[in-house]
PDB file of all heavy atoms in Angstrom:
ATOM      1  N   LEU L1222      17.061   3.874   2.316  1.00 86.00           N
ATOM      2  CA  LEU L1222      17.386   3.528   3.798  1.00 86.00           C
ATOM      3  C   LEU L1222      18.765   3.939   4.175  1.00 86.00           C
ATOM      4  O   LEU L1222      19.068   3.912   5.355  1.00 86.00           O
ATOM      5  CB  LEU L1222      17.161   2.055   3.991  1.00 86.00           C
ATOM      6  CG  LEU L1222      15.685   1.583   3.962  1.00 86.00           C
ATOM      7  CD1 LEU L1222      15.518   0.079   4.110  1.00 86.00           C
ATOM      8  CD2 LEU L1222      14.916   2.275   5.119  1.00 86.00           C
ATOM      9  N   ASN L1223      19.650   4.249   3.195  1.00 81.00           N
ATOM     10  CA  ASN L1223      20.998   4.670   3.521  1.00 81.00           C
ATOM     11  C   ASN L1223      21.084   6.212   3.321  1.00 81.00           C
ATOM     12  O   ASN L1223      22.206   6.799   3.404  1.00 81.00           O
ATOM     13  CB  ASN L1223      21.984   4.061   2.549  1.00 81.00           C
ATOM     14  CG  ASN L1223      22.083   2.564   2.835  1.00 81.00           C
ATOM     15  OD1 ASN L1223      22.551   2.158   3.879  1.00 81.00           O
ATOM     16  ND2 ASN L1223      21.767   1.759   1.837  1.00 81.00           N
ATOM     17  N   ASP L1224      20.008   6.903   3.192  1.00 84.00           N
ATOM     18  CA  ASP L1224      19.998   8.361   2.962  1.00 84.00           C
ATOM     19  C   ASP L1224      18.809   8.969   3.529  1.00 84.00           C
ATOM     20  O   ASP L1224      17.674   8.828   3.071  1.00 84.00           O
ATOM     21  CB  ASP L1224      20.047   8.621   1.411  1.00 84.00           C
ATOM     22  CG  ASP L1224      20.375  10.086   1.135  1.00 84.00           C
ATOM     23  OD1 ASP L1224      19.632  10.958   1.769  1.00 84.00           O
ATOM     24  OD2 ASP L1224      21.265  10.464   0.326  1.00 84.00           O
ATOM     25  N   ALA L1225      18.957   9.687   4.709  1.00 87.00           N
ATOM     26  CA  ALA L1225      17.807  10.307   5.329  1.00 87.00           C
ATOM     27  C   ALA L1225      17.058  11.298   4.499  1.00 87.00           C
ATOM     28  O   ALA L1225      15.777  11.341   4.566  1.00 87.00           O
ATOM     29  CB  ALA L1225      18.284  11.061   6.629  1.00 87.00           C
ATOM     30  N   ASN L1226      17.743  12.058   3.599  1.00 84.00           N
ATOM     31  CA  ASN L1226      16.923  12.987   2.773  1.00 84.00           C
ATOM     32  C   ASN L1226      16.114  12.339   1.846  1.00 84.00           C
ATOM     33  O   ASN L1226      14.953  12.721   1.523  1.00 84.00           O
ATOM     34  CB  ASN L1226      17.983  13.941   2.107  1.00 84.00           C
ATOM     35  CG  ASN L1226      18.618  14.890   3.124  1.00 84.00           C
ATOM     36  OD1 ASN L1226      18.065  15.264   4.048  1.00 84.00           O
ATOM     37  ND2 ASN L1226      19.910  15.366   2.732  1.00 84.00           N
ATOM     38  N   LEU L1227      16.737  11.269   1.194  1.00 84.00           N
ATOM     39  CA  LEU L1227      15.925  10.458   0.211  1.00 84.00           C
ATOM     40  C   LEU L1227      14.732   9.716   0.856  1.00 84.00           C
ATOM     41  O   LEU L1227      13.614   9.639   0.320  1.00 84.00           O
ATOM     42  CB  LEU L1227      16.798   9.497  -0.536  1.00 84.00           C
ATOM     43  CG  LEU L1227      17.759  10.091  -1.529  1.00 84.00           C
ATOM     44  CD1 LEU L1227      18.563   8.961  -2.155  1.00 84.00           C
ATOM     45  CD2 LEU L1227      17.053  10.971  -2.609  1.00 84.00           C
ATOM     46  N   LEU L1228      14.980   9.246   2.060  1.00 87.00           N
ATOM     47  CA  LEU L1228      13.956   8.598   2.882  1.00 87.00           C
ATOM     48  C   LEU L1228      12.764   9.548   3.096  1.00 87.00           C
ATOM     49  O   LEU L1228      11.576   9.156   2.871  1.00 87.00           O
ATOM     50  CB  LEU L1228      14.413   8.032   4.144  1.00 87.00           C
ATOM     51  CG  LEU L1228      13.493   7.214   4.977  1.00 87.00           C
ATOM     52  CD1 LEU L1228      12.840   6.089   4.254  1.00 87.00           C
ATOM     53  CD2 LEU L1228      14.132   6.758   6.208  1.00 87.00           C
ATOM     54  N   ALA L1229      13.081  10.700   3.495  1.00 87.00           N
ATOM     55  CA  ALA L1229      12.047  11.722   3.752  1.00 87.00           C
ATOM     56  C   ALA L1229      11.329  12.029   2.410  1.00 87.00           C
ATOM     57  O   ALA L1229      10.058  12.193   2.432  1.00 87.00           O
ATOM     58  CB  ALA L1229      12.703  12.978   4.305  1.00 87.00           C
ATOM     59  N   LYS L1230      12.024  12.084   1.335  1.00 82.00           N
ATOM     60  CA  LYS L1230      11.374  12.339   0.064  1.00 82.00           C
ATOM     61  C   LYS L1230      10.402  11.168  -0.319  1.00 82.00           C
ATOM     62  O   LYS L1230       9.239  11.454  -0.747  1.00 82.00           O
ATOM     63  CB  LYS L1230      12.389  12.569  -1.045  1.00 82.00           C
ATOM     64  CG  LYS L1230      11.859  13.161  -2.332  1.00 82.00           C
ATOM     65  CD  LYS L1230      11.315  14.497  -2.154  1.00 82.00           C
ATOM     66  CE  LYS L1230      10.848  15.154  -3.502  1.00 82.00           C
ATOM     67  NZ  LYS L1230      10.196  16.531  -3.248  1.00 82.00           N
ATOM     68  N   LEU L1231      10.957   9.989  -0.095  1.00 82.00           N
ATOM     69  CA  LEU L1231      10.082   8.819  -0.404  1.00 82.00           C
ATOM     70  C   LEU L1231       8.819   8.841   0.436  1.00 82.00           C
ATOM     71  O   LEU L1231       7.731   8.596  -0.016  1.00 82.00           O
ATOM     72  CB  LEU L1231      10.826   7.612  -0.227  1.00 82.00           C
ATOM     73  CG  LEU L1231      10.047   6.230  -0.517  1.00 82.00           C
ATOM     74  CD1 LEU L1231       9.566   6.202  -1.978  1.00 82.00           C
ATOM     75  CD2 LEU L1231      10.920   5.086  -0.227  1.00 82.00           C
ATOM     76  N   ASN L1232       8.977   9.102   1.759  1.00 86.00           N
ATOM     77  CA  ASN L1232       7.886   9.159   2.675  1.00 86.00           C
ATOM     78  C   ASN L1232       6.870  10.162   2.229  1.00 86.00           C
ATOM     79  O   ASN L1232       5.579   9.985   2.315  1.00 86.00           O
ATOM     80  CB  ASN L1232       8.345   9.437   4.043  1.00 86.00           C
ATOM     81  CG  ASN L1232       9.033   8.335   4.716  1.00 86.00           C
ATOM     82  OD1 ASN L1232       8.751   7.134   4.276  1.00 86.00           O
ATOM     83  ND2 ASN L1232       9.776   8.512   5.661  1.00 86.00           N
ATOM     84  N   ALA L1233       7.293  11.326   1.815  1.00 84.00           N
ATOM     85  CA  ALA L1233       6.400  12.310   1.322  1.00 84.00           C
ATOM     86  C   ALA L1233       5.712  11.924   0.089  1.00 84.00           C
ATOM     87  O   ALA L1233       4.464  12.143  -0.127  1.00 84.00           O
ATOM     88  CB  ALA L1233       7.184  13.627   0.864  1.00 84.00           C
ATOM     89  N   ALA L1234       6.253  11.189  -0.815  1.00 80.00           N
ATOM     90  CA  ALA L1234       5.665  10.717  -2.094  1.00 80.00           C
ATOM     91  C   ALA L1234       4.689   9.608  -1.639  1.00 80.00           C
ATOM     92  O   ALA L1234       3.623   9.592  -2.342  1.00 80.00           O
ATOM     93  CB  ALA L1234       6.759  10.085  -3.012  1.00 80.00           C
ATOM     94  N   VAL L1235       4.985   8.810  -0.728  1.00 83.00           N
ATOM     95  CA  VAL L1235       4.020   7.739  -0.307  1.00 83.00           C
ATOM     96  C   VAL L1235       2.784   8.443   0.382  1.00 83.00           C
ATOM     97  O   VAL L1235       1.737   7.998   0.061  1.00 83.00           O
ATOM     98  CB  VAL L1235       4.643   6.765   0.761  1.00 83.00           C
ATOM     99  CG1 VAL L1235       3.608   5.943   1.469  1.00 83.00           C
ATOM    100  CG2 VAL L1235       5.725   6.000   0.119  1.00 83.00           C
ATOM    101  N   ASN L1236       2.991   9.628   1.103  1.00 86.00           N
ATOM    102  CA  ASN L1236       1.831  10.196   1.665  1.00 86.00           C
ATOM    103  C   ASN L1236       0.920  10.872   0.604  1.00 86.00           C
ATOM    104  O   ASN L1236      -0.257  10.921   0.727  1.00 86.00           O
ATOM    105  CB  ASN L1236       2.360  11.254   2.709  1.00 86.00           C
ATOM    106  CG  ASN L1236       2.826  10.622   4.021  1.00 86.00           C
ATOM    107  OD1 ASN L1236       2.511   9.623   4.338  1.00 86.00           O
ATOM    108  ND2 ASN L1236       3.807  11.294   4.585  1.00 86.00           N
ATOM    109  N   ILE L1237       1.640  11.379  -0.448  1.00 84.00           N
ATOM    110  CA  ILE L1237       0.863  12.009  -1.609  1.00 84.00           C
ATOM    111  C   ILE L1237       0.013  10.941  -2.191  1.00 84.00           C
ATOM    112  O   ILE L1237      -1.155  11.102  -2.520  1.00 84.00           O
ATOM    113  CB  ILE L1237       1.787  12.717  -2.486  1.00 84.00           C
ATOM    114  CG1 ILE L1237       2.345  13.930  -1.847  1.00 84.00           C
ATOM    115  CG2 ILE L1237       1.059  13.034  -3.809  1.00 84.00           C
ATOM    116  CD1 ILE L1237       3.520  14.591  -2.648  1.00 84.00           C
ATOM    117  N   ALA L1238       0.594   9.785  -2.468  1.00 82.00           N
ATOM    118  CA  ALA L1238      -0.062   8.693  -3.079  1.00 82.00           C
ATOM    119  C   ALA L1238      -1.258   8.267  -2.226  1.00 82.00           C
ATOM    120  O   ALA L1238      -2.366   7.909  -2.714  1.00 82.00           O
ATOM    121  CB  ALA L1238       0.830   7.419  -3.399  1.00 82.00           C
ATOM    122  N   GLU L1239      -1.047   8.113  -0.935  1.00 87.00           N
ATOM    123  CA  GLU L1239      -2.155   7.797  -0.044  1.00 87.00           C
ATOM    124  C   GLU L1239      -3.265   8.739  -0.078  1.00 87.00           C
ATOM    125  O   GLU L1239      -4.467   8.412  -0.058  1.00 87.00           O
ATOM    126  CB  GLU L1239      -1.536   7.647   1.408  1.00 87.00           C
ATOM    127  CG  GLU L1239      -2.649   7.169   2.391  1.00 87.00           C
ATOM    128  CD  GLU L1239      -2.151   7.081   3.782  1.00 87.00           C
ATOM    129  OE1 GLU L1239      -1.481   6.113   4.135  1.00 87.00           O
ATOM    130  OE2 GLU L1239      -2.442   8.040   4.571  1.00 87.00           O
ATOM    131  N   ALA L1240      -2.926  10.088  -0.044  1.00 89.00           N
ATOM    132  CA  ALA L1240      -3.920  11.118  -0.145  1.00 89.00           C
ATOM    133  C   ALA L1240      -4.758  11.039  -1.386  1.00 89.00           C
ATOM    134  O   ALA L1240      -5.941  11.342  -1.364  1.00 89.00           O
ATOM    135  CB  ALA L1240      -3.225  12.482  -0.011  1.00 89.00           C
ATOM    136  N   ASP L1241      -4.058  10.613  -2.457  1.00 86.00           N
ATOM    137  CA  ASP L1241      -4.799  10.544  -3.719  1.00 86.00           C
ATOM    138  C   ASP L1241      -5.795   9.360  -3.628  1.00 86.00           C
ATOM    139  O   ASP L1241      -6.908   9.474  -4.125  1.00 86.00           O
ATOM    140  CB  ASP L1241      -3.820  10.247  -4.879  1.00 86.00           C
ATOM    141  CG  ASP L1241      -4.402  10.192  -6.230  1.00 86.00           C
ATOM    142  OD1 ASP L1241      -5.288  11.010  -6.550  1.00 86.00           O
ATOM    143  OD2 ASP L1241      -4.116   9.196  -6.949  1.00 86.00           O
ATOM    144  N   LEU L1242      -5.366   8.260  -3.059  1.00 88.00           N
ATOM    145  CA  LEU L1242      -6.299   7.123  -2.930  1.00 88.00           C
ATOM    146  C   LEU L1242      -7.449   7.449  -1.980  1.00 88.00           C
ATOM    147  O   LEU L1242      -8.595   7.232  -2.259  1.00 88.00           O
ATOM    148  CB  LEU L1242      -5.500   5.965  -2.367  1.00 88.00           C
ATOM    149  CG  LEU L1242      -6.309   4.667  -2.130  1.00 88.00           C
ATOM    150  CD1 LEU L1242      -7.050   4.193  -3.500  1.00 88.00           C
ATOM    151  CD2 LEU L1242      -5.377   3.488  -1.677  1.00 88.00           C
ATOM    152  N   VAL L1243      -7.087   8.197  -0.897  1.00 92.00           N
ATOM    153  CA  VAL L1243      -8.147   8.661   0.028  1.00 92.00           C
ATOM    154  C   VAL L1243      -9.151   9.533  -0.635  1.00 92.00           C
ATOM    155  O   VAL L1243     -10.416   9.404  -0.376  1.00 92.00           O
ATOM    156  CB  VAL L1243      -7.515   9.332   1.231  1.00 92.00           C
ATOM    157  CG1 VAL L1243      -8.556  10.060   2.090  1.00 92.00           C
ATOM    158  CG2 VAL L1243      -6.718   8.382   2.092  1.00 92.00           C
ATOM    159  N   ARG L1244      -8.696  10.312  -1.552  1.00 90.00           N
ATOM    160  CA  ARG L1244      -9.564  11.248  -2.268  1.00 90.00           C
ATOM    161  C   ARG L1244     -10.701  10.422  -3.042  1.00 90.00           C
ATOM    162  O   ARG L1244     -11.838  10.881  -3.195  1.00 90.00           O
ATOM    163  CB  ARG L1244      -8.714  12.151  -3.188  1.00 90.00           C
ATOM    164  CG  ARG L1244      -9.543  13.052  -4.054  1.00 90.00           C
ATOM    165  CD  ARG L1244      -8.693  14.014  -4.837  1.00 90.00           C
ATOM    166  NE  ARG L1244      -7.746  13.250  -5.738  1.00 90.00           N
ATOM    167  CZ  ARG L1244      -8.235  12.859  -7.004  1.00 90.00           C
ATOM    168  NH1 ARG L1244      -9.500  13.174  -7.448  1.00 90.00           N
ATOM    169  NH2 ARG L1244      -7.459  12.217  -7.823  1.00 90.00           N
ATOM    170  N   HIS L1245     -10.265   9.329  -3.543  1.00 89.00           N
ATOM    171  CA  HIS L1245     -11.240   8.428  -4.381  1.00 89.00           C
ATOM    172  C   HIS L1245     -12.178   7.743  -3.463  1.00 89.00           C
ATOM    173  O   HIS L1245     -13.282   7.288  -3.925  1.00 89.00           O
ATOM    174  CB  HIS L1245     -10.466   7.474  -5.156  1.00 89.00           C
ATOM    175  CG  HIS L1245      -9.717   8.079  -6.293  1.00 89.00           C
ATOM    176  ND1 HIS L1245     -10.388   8.673  -7.413  1.00 89.00           N
ATOM    177  CD2 HIS L1245      -8.365   8.165  -6.635  1.00 89.00           C
ATOM    178  CE1 HIS L1245      -9.375   9.078  -8.275  1.00 89.00           C
ATOM    179  NE2 HIS L1245      -8.206   8.786  -7.792  1.00 89.00           N
ATOM    180  N   LEU L1246     -11.808   7.607  -2.129  1.00 93.00           N
ATOM    181  CA  LEU L1246     -12.746   6.760  -1.248  1.00 93.00           C
ATOM    182  C   LEU L1246     -13.615   7.636  -0.366  1.00 93.00           C
ATOM    183  O   LEU L1246     -14.774   7.283  -0.164  1.00 93.00           O
ATOM    184  CB  LEU L1246     -11.860   5.976  -0.315  1.00 93.00           C
ATOM    185  CG  LEU L1246     -10.868   4.907  -1.007  1.00 93.00           C
ATOM    186  CD1 LEU L1246      -9.904   4.281   0.016  1.00 93.00           C
ATOM    187  CD2 LEU L1246     -11.739   3.876  -1.769  1.00 93.00           C
ATOM    188  N   ALA L1247     -13.143   8.795  -0.021  1.00 94.00           N
ATOM    189  CA  ALA L1247     -13.932   9.639   0.824  1.00 94.00           C
ATOM    190  C   ALA L1247     -15.130  10.165   0.167  1.00 94.00           C
ATOM    191  O   ALA L1247     -15.158  10.549  -0.989  1.00 94.00           O
ATOM    192  CB  ALA L1247     -13.025  10.782   1.383  1.00 94.00           C
ATOM    193  N   GLY L1248     -16.265  10.196   0.988  1.00 94.00           N
ATOM    194  CA  GLY L1248     -17.510  10.674   0.374  1.00 94.00           C
ATOM    195  C   GLY L1248     -18.311   9.638  -0.245  1.00 94.00           C
ATOM    196  O   GLY L1248     -19.545   9.792  -0.589  1.00 94.00           O
ATOM    197  N   ARG L1249     -17.815   8.505  -0.642  1.00 93.00           N
ATOM    198  CA  ARG L1249     -18.520   7.422  -1.268  1.00 93.00           C
ATOM    199  C   ARG L1249     -19.502   6.794  -0.224  1.00 93.00           C
ATOM    200  O   ARG L1249     -19.188   6.754   0.939  1.00 93.00           O
ATOM    201  CB  ARG L1249     -17.577   6.356  -1.777  1.00 93.00           C
ATOM    202  CG  ARG L1249     -16.625   6.758  -2.828  1.00 93.00           C
ATOM    203  CD  ARG L1249     -17.270   6.899  -4.184  1.00 93.00           C
ATOM    204  NE  ARG L1249     -16.332   7.303  -5.253  1.00 93.00           N
ATOM    205  CZ  ARG L1249     -16.605   7.310  -6.480  1.00 93.00           C
ATOM    206  NH1 ARG L1249     -17.909   6.947  -6.932  1.00 93.00           N
ATOM    207  NH2 ARG L1249     -15.752   7.716  -7.427  1.00 93.00           N
ATOM    208  N   GLU L1250     -20.661   6.372  -0.724  1.00 93.00           N
ATOM    209  CA  GLU L1250     -21.599   5.885   0.229  1.00 93.00           C
ATOM    210  C   GLU L1250     -21.413   4.407   0.576  1.00 93.00           C
ATOM    211  O   GLU L1250     -21.007   3.530  -0.260  1.00 93.00           O
ATOM    212  CB  GLU L1250     -23.059   6.079  -0.447  1.00 93.00           C
ATOM    213  CG  GLU L1250     -24.251   5.622   0.381  1.00 93.00           C
ATOM    214  CD  GLU L1250     -25.506   5.953  -0.154  1.00 93.00           C
ATOM    215  OE1 GLU L1250     -25.755   7.021  -0.444  1.00 93.00           O
ATOM    216  OE2 GLU L1250     -26.304   4.926  -0.320  1.00 93.00           O
TER     217      GLU L1250
END
Side-chain angles (χ1 to χ4, degrees):
L1222 288 174
N1223 291 299
D1224 187 312
N1226 290 330
L1227 288 179
L1228 180 59
K1230 191 66 179 177
L1231 180 61
N1232 285 339
V1235 168
N1236 288 334
I1237 290 170
E1239 180 183 284
D1241 182 46
L1242 182 55
V1243 167
R1244 179 175 63 83
H1245 289 295
L1246 301 172
R1249 297 283 180 169
E1250 188 174 297

